[in-house]
Amino acid sequence: MRIFLAFAVLLCYAALCYVCWWHYRRSQITPETSFVAADETWLIAYASQGGTAAQLAWQSADQLSEAGIATQVISLNRLDDAALQQRKKILFVVSTFGEGEPPDNGNRILVRLAGAALPQLSYGLLALGDRNYRFFCGFGHALDHALHAAGATPLFDLIEVDRGDPAALRHWQYYLGQISGQSHFRDWQTPDYDRWALLTRNCLNNGSPGAPAYWLQLAADAAGNTWCAGDIVEIGPCNSRERIDSFLQAVGRSPVSHKDLLHELRRRELPASPHAAEELISVADEELLRKLPALPHREYSIASIPEIGTLDLLVRQVTTANGELGLGSGWLTRHTEIGETIALRIRSNPSFHPPKVEVPMILIGNGTGMAGLRAHLLARERAGGTRNWLLFGERTARYDFFFGEQIRKWHKNG
């Protein structure tokens, strides 16, 4: 009897091993019909040992799909030679295993890229790693070098993620937004905002035929916040009191008797249609909040450097189709009172950091894009960099030359 039971256990174990092996082999093999050349489809290829890269690949696909972009998600080893030659747009999400090694489902790509010619391919690369290891994001960098050698064109610099760093992941989301043309997207992880006070707010283009543009200056509640010219701020906007009151009335609640709910709704995404609001009339407050996701952040270029003492923004008012101000621009340019607190987080933007002071710099921008350019010029003035060209466009020189007096002074002083 014992021999029979031992044999049965060994048989079950062998069957389990076979099933695991079969699933692994299946994930490594590319069916002949898997790939269809489609110029408008973004392929998202992942190499994942523990599952994180695969999850981020699917989240990337979801963000693009919400903007109407066609996507296909596969493991990296399924990207064979034929697919590499056919595809024009690929996003890579890869982790590093151990000391610079590829995950099991990505260990064939470097061999396939050796000697390949891929001048038609444009790509983006998100590399996951841990700085505690000697070769941080080693496989991601090896893949990037191999793609460069094959003649592929990077859409942006490789993005490194240290142990799931939320700021790096939002930087990746930003580039997904650039691909899709959708600058507003839902955060994968809620930013850990700091508190900043709005000190001043002035319209810089009174009389302009364009929409009003405002210069804002903010100060941090706590010391230690710093940034570099070219960096980005993530603003946590709030709904206006008028919009919240309108929503509460639509769901059968009084703003006066639901003050706690009113406060929570400031940072919630409210339904755009009256019909969607009506479906929430009989829902309890706690369930109502669970059904309303947190508002996504809004991004703006920083228009100053830390040395001048304030964090400056240049924000143009945006008006929606129904005549309301946009969420971010409305919050910053109208609904926030002077002295009120704004939720803000600084995000590093290394690809837009300034060059060495001895390198000549050409700055090209239009409209409120002047914000980031002004930060660069402030940094160049402080560092003594004098070889700078500024090419700036707007509607009228009379009304729309943002920071014109300061720029003329820089020009006069060489």
Side-chain angles (χ1 to χ4, degrees), residues 99-128:
E99 290 292 352
E101 298 299 319
D104 291 338
N105 57 6
N107 56 14
R108 300 180 182 181
I109 188 66
L110 296 181
V111 174
R112 288 172 177 160
L113 288 173
L118 305 173
Q120 88 292 346
L121 178 62
S122 297
Y123 72 94
L125 204 162
L126 181 70
L128 313 182

Short mmCIF file of all heavy atoms in Angstrom, two decimals, residues 99-128:
data_model
loop_
_atom_site.label_atom_id
_atom_site.label_comp_id
_atom_site.label_asym_id
_atom_site.label_seq_id
_atom_site.Cartn_x
_atom_site.Cartn_y
_atom_site.Cartn_z
N GLU A 99 21.70 40.10 -11.02
CA GLU A 99 22.74 41.08 -11.36
C GLU A 99 22.79 41.32 -12.87
O GLU A 99 23.67 40.85 -13.59
CB GLU A 99 24.10 40.60 -10.86
CG GLU A 99 24.25 40.64 -9.36
CD GLU A 99 24.29 42.06 -8.79
OE1 GLU A 99 24.35 43.03 -9.58
OE2 GLU A 99 24.24 42.20 -7.55
N GLY A 100 21.76 42.02 -13.37
CA GLY A 100 21.76 42.41 -14.77
C GLY A 100 21.20 41.39 -15.73
O GLY A 100 21.31 41.56 -16.95
N GLU A 101 20.58 40.30 -15.24
CA GLU A 101 20.09 39.23 -16.10
C GLU A 101 18.68 39.53 -16.59
O GLU A 101 17.88 40.18 -15.90
CB GLU A 101 20.10 37.90 -15.35
CG GLU A 101 21.48 37.45 -14.91
CD GLU A 101 22.40 37.24 -16.10
OE1 GLU A 101 21.95 36.68 -17.12
OE2 GLU A 101 23.58 37.64 -16.00
N PRO A 102 18.32 39.01 -17.78
CA PRO A 102 16.94 39.16 -18.26
C PRO A 102 16.02 38.17 -17.56
O PRO A 102 16.46 37.09 -17.14
CB PRO A 102 17.05 38.82 -19.75
CG PRO A 102 18.21 37.89 -19.84
CD PRO A 102 19.19 38.35 -18.78
N PRO A 103 14.75 38.47 -17.43
CA PRO A 103 13.79 37.49 -16.94
C PRO A 103 13.70 36.31 -17.92
O PRO A 103 14.10 36.41 -19.08
CB PRO A 103 12.47 38.27 -16.90
CG PRO A 103 12.88 39.71 -16.84
CD PRO A 103 14.14 39.79 -17.64
N ASP A 104 13.13 35.20 -17.47
CA ASP A 104 13.05 34.01 -18.29
C ASP A 104 12.29 34.25 -19.60
O ASP A 104 12.65 33.69 -20.64
CB ASP A 104 12.37 32.87 -17.52
CG ASP A 104 13.24 32.37 -16.38
OD1 ASP A 104 14.46 32.59 -16.43
OD2 ASP A 104 12.70 31.78 -15.43
N ASN A 105 11.23 35.08 -19.55
CA ASN A 105 10.46 35.30 -20.77
C ASN A 105 11.00 36.45 -21.62
O ASN A 105 10.30 36.98 -22.49
CB ASN A 105 8.97 35.53 -20.45
CG ASN A 105 8.76 36.70 -19.50
OD1 ASN A 105 9.69 37.41 -19.15
ND2 ASN A 105 7.53 36.89 -19.08
N GLY A 106 12.27 36.83 -21.36
CA GLY A 106 12.90 37.86 -22.20
C GLY A 106 14.34 37.52 -22.55
O GLY A 106 15.09 38.38 -23.00
N ASN A 107 14.73 36.24 -22.38
CA ASN A 107 16.14 35.89 -22.52
C ASN A 107 16.58 35.60 -23.96
O ASN A 107 17.72 35.21 -24.18
CB ASN A 107 16.49 34.69 -21.63
CG ASN A 107 15.60 33.49 -21.91
OD1 ASN A 107 14.90 33.44 -22.92
ND2 ASN A 107 15.61 32.54 -20.98
N ARG A 108 15.68 35.79 -24.94
CA ARG A 108 16.05 35.52 -26.32
C ARG A 108 16.24 36.78 -27.15
O ARG A 108 16.78 36.72 -28.25
CB ARG A 108 14.99 34.65 -26.98
CG ARG A 108 14.79 33.30 -26.30
CD ARG A 108 13.73 32.49 -27.01
NE ARG A 108 13.48 31.22 -26.33
CZ ARG A 108 12.61 30.31 -26.76
NH1 ARG A 108 11.90 30.54 -27.84
NH2 ARG A 108 12.46 29.18 -26.09
N ILE A 109 15.78 37.93 -26.66
CA ILE A 109 15.70 39.13 -27.49
C ILE A 109 17.06 39.65 -27.90
O ILE A 109 17.25 40.12 -29.02
CB ILE A 109 14.87 40.23 -26.77
CG1 ILE A 109 14.62 41.40 -27.71
CG2 ILE A 109 15.57 40.69 -25.51
CD1 ILE A 109 13.75 41.09 -28.87
N LEU A 110 18.06 39.61 -27.02
CA LEU A 110 19.36 40.18 -27.35
C LEU A 110 20.03 39.39 -28.47
O LEU A 110 20.70 39.97 -29.34
CB LEU A 110 20.26 40.22 -26.11
CG LEU A 110 19.77 41.12 -24.96
CD1 LEU A 110 20.76 41.09 -23.81
CD2 LEU A 110 19.56 42.55 -25.45
N VAL A 111 19.84 38.08 -28.49
CA VAL A 111 20.38 37.26 -29.59
C VAL A 111 19.70 37.62 -30.89
O VAL A 111 20.35 37.73 -31.95
CB VAL A 111 20.20 35.76 -29.27
CG1 VAL A 111 20.62 34.90 -30.46
CG2 VAL A 111 21.00 35.38 -28.03
N ARG A 112 18.39 37.84 -30.85
CA ARG A 112 17.65 38.18 -32.06
C ARG A 112 18.03 39.56 -32.59
O ARG A 112 17.98 39.81 -33.80
CB ARG A 112 16.14 38.14 -31.78
CG ARG A 112 15.61 36.71 -31.62
CD ARG A 112 14.17 36.70 -31.16
NE ARG A 112 13.69 35.32 -31.07
CZ ARG A 112 12.64 34.93 -30.37
NH1 ARG A 112 11.97 35.83 -29.66
NH2 ARG A 112 12.27 33.67 -30.36
N LEU A 113 18.40 40.47 -31.70
CA LEU A 113 18.76 41.82 -32.14
C LEU A 113 20.19 41.90 -32.66
O LEU A 113 20.53 42.85 -33.37
CB LEU A 113 18.58 42.81 -30.97
CG LEU A 113 17.14 43.13 -30.59
CD1 LEU A 113 17.11 43.99 -29.32
CD2 LEU A 113 16.42 43.85 -31.72
N ALA A 114 21.03 40.95 -32.32
CA ALA A 114 22.43 40.98 -32.76
C ALA A 114 22.48 40.91 -34.28
O ALA A 114 22.02 39.95 -34.90
CB ALA A 114 23.18 39.80 -32.14
N GLY A 115 23.01 41.95 -34.90
CA GLY A 115 23.14 41.99 -36.35
C GLY A 115 21.87 42.39 -37.08
O GLY A 115 21.86 42.46 -38.32
N ALA A 116 20.77 42.65 -36.34
CA ALA A 116 19.52 43.03 -36.99
C ALA A 116 19.58 44.47 -37.49
O ALA A 116 20.36 45.29 -36.98
CB ALA A 116 18.36 42.87 -36.01
N ALA A 117 18.78 44.79 -38.50
CA ALA A 117 18.65 46.15 -39.03
C ALA A 117 17.19 46.56 -38.89
O ALA A 117 16.32 46.00 -39.56
CB ALA A 117 19.10 46.21 -40.48
N LEU A 118 16.92 47.54 -38.02
CA LEU A 118 15.54 47.95 -37.74
C LEU A 118 15.36 49.46 -37.89
O LEU A 118 14.90 50.15 -36.97
CB LEU A 118 15.17 47.53 -36.31
CG LEU A 118 15.34 46.05 -35.95
CD1 LEU A 118 15.08 45.83 -34.48
CD2 LEU A 118 14.41 45.19 -36.79
N PRO A 119 15.71 50.02 -39.05
CA PRO A 119 15.57 51.48 -39.21
C PRO A 119 14.13 51.96 -39.19
O PRO A 119 13.88 53.15 -38.99
CB PRO A 119 16.22 51.72 -40.58
CG PRO A 119 16.05 50.43 -41.32
CD PRO A 119 16.18 49.36 -40.27
N GLN A 120 13.17 51.05 -39.40
CA GLN A 120 11.76 51.43 -39.43
C GLN A 120 11.14 51.53 -38.04
O GLN A 120 10.04 52.06 -37.87
CB GLN A 120 10.97 50.40 -40.25
CG GLN A 120 10.42 49.19 -39.49
CD GLN A 120 11.49 48.22 -38.97
OE1 GLN A 120 12.64 48.29 -39.39
NE2 GLN A 120 11.12 47.31 -38.09
N LEU A 121 11.84 51.05 -37.01
CA LEU A 121 11.26 50.88 -35.69
C LEU A 121 11.47 52.12 -34.81
O LEU A 121 12.58 52.60 -34.64
CB LEU A 121 11.87 49.66 -35.00
CG LEU A 121 11.39 49.39 -33.56
CD1 LEU A 121 9.89 49.11 -33.53
CD2 LEU A 121 12.16 48.22 -32.95
N SER A 122 10.37 52.60 -34.21
CA SER A 122 10.42 53.60 -33.15
C SER A 122 9.97 52.92 -31.85
O SER A 122 9.04 52.11 -31.87
CB SER A 122 9.50 54.77 -33.47
OG SER A 122 9.91 55.44 -34.64
N TYR A 123 10.63 53.26 -30.75
CA TYR A 123 10.33 52.53 -29.53
C TYR A 123 10.47 53.41 -28.29
O TYR A 123 11.13 54.45 -28.30
CB TYR A 123 11.25 51.31 -29.39
CG TYR A 123 12.69 51.67 -29.04
CD1 TYR A 123 13.13 51.68 -27.71
CD2 TYR A 123 13.61 52.00 -30.03
CE1 TYR A 123 14.43 52.02 -27.38
CE2 TYR A 123 14.92 52.33 -29.72
CZ TYR A 123 15.32 52.34 -28.40
OH TYR A 123 16.62 52.69 -28.07
N GLY A 124 9.80 52.96 -27.23
CA GLY A 124 9.98 53.53 -25.90
C GLY A 124 10.33 52.40 -24.95
O GLY A 124 9.90 51.26 -25.16
N LEU A 125 11.07 52.70 -23.89
CA LEU A 125 11.55 51.63 -23.01
C LEU A 125 11.44 52.04 -21.55
O LEU A 125 11.98 53.07 -21.14
CB LEU A 125 13.00 51.28 -23.35
CG LEU A 125 13.49 49.88 -22.97
CD1 LEU A 125 14.75 49.52 -23.75
CD2 LEU A 125 13.79 49.77 -21.49
N LEU A 126 10.73 51.23 -20.79
CA LEU A 126 10.60 51.39 -19.33
C LEU A 126 11.37 50.26 -18.68
O LEU A 126 11.07 49.08 -18.89
CB LEU A 126 9.13 51.34 -18.92
CG LEU A 126 8.84 51.53 -17.43
CD1 LEU A 126 9.10 52.97 -17.02
CD2 LEU A 126 7.39 51.16 -17.11
N ALA A 127 12.40 50.61 -17.90
CA ALA A 127 13.28 49.61 -17.28
C ALA A 127 13.05 49.60 -15.77
O ALA A 127 13.17 50.63 -15.11
CB ALA A 127 14.74 49.91 -17.59
N LEU A 128 12.72 48.43 -15.22
CA LEU A 128 12.49 48.28 -13.79
C LEU A 128 13.72 47.67 -13.13
O LEU A 128 14.35 46.76 -13.69
CB LEU A 128 11.28 47.36 -13.55
CG LEU A 128 10.01 47.63 -14.35
CD1 LEU A 128 8.92 46.67 -13.94
CD2 LEU A 128 9.56 49.06 -14.19
#
